[in-house]
Amino acid sequence: MTLRHHITYFIPLLIWMALIAVFSSDVGSSESMIRLLPAFLRELLFSSDTLQPGISPILGAVIWVVRKLAHLSEYALLAILASRWLRSWQHPGRSI
């Protein structure tokens, strides 16, 4: 297999790692994500009488579960992409 073949498996891995790095910064923080919600959803979900969003315990638990599942999914995809790239080096004659 050529180097070009290995690079085609590496590029998606590299892009996914870059996305994880960007969203792991302040850009992907929960405070930033809250601001992306439409105003009516923010008003519905969060109390507007405090500086910090006041979240009901049930909504807080739901948000926590969703965020944990998102982390699990993003790193599972990272593992799959890394595995594909590494297998492209291990088995040069096989199609992945």
Side-chain angles (χ1 to χ4, degrees), residues 10-88:
F10 184 67
I11 289 174
L13 175 63
L14 188 63
I15 291 170
W16 193 246
M17 288 188 298
L19 285 172
I20 288 174
V22 167
F23 285 106
S24 294
S25 68
D26 285 340
V27 172
S29 70
S30 58
E31 291 81 18
S32 296
M33 293 294 125
I34 288 170
R35 281 185 254 137
L36 294 177
L37 289 174
F40 73 94
L41 275 178
R42 272 196 310 259
E43 192 64 33
L44 179 66
L45 299 176
F46 305 102
S47 69
S48 58
D49 58 346
T50 60
L51 208 52
Q52 292 290 337
I55 303 174
S56 73
I58 293 173
L59 182 60
V62 169
I63 291 172
W64 183 83
V65 168
V66 168
R67 288 178 60 85
K68 295 306 169 191
L69 288 174
H71 283 107
L72 177 71
S73 301
E74 73 180 313
Y75 286 105
L77 182 56
L78 179 66
I80 291 167
L81 292 172
S83 174
R84 288 185 65 213
W85 177 65
L86 290 172
R87 282 187 302 165
S88 76

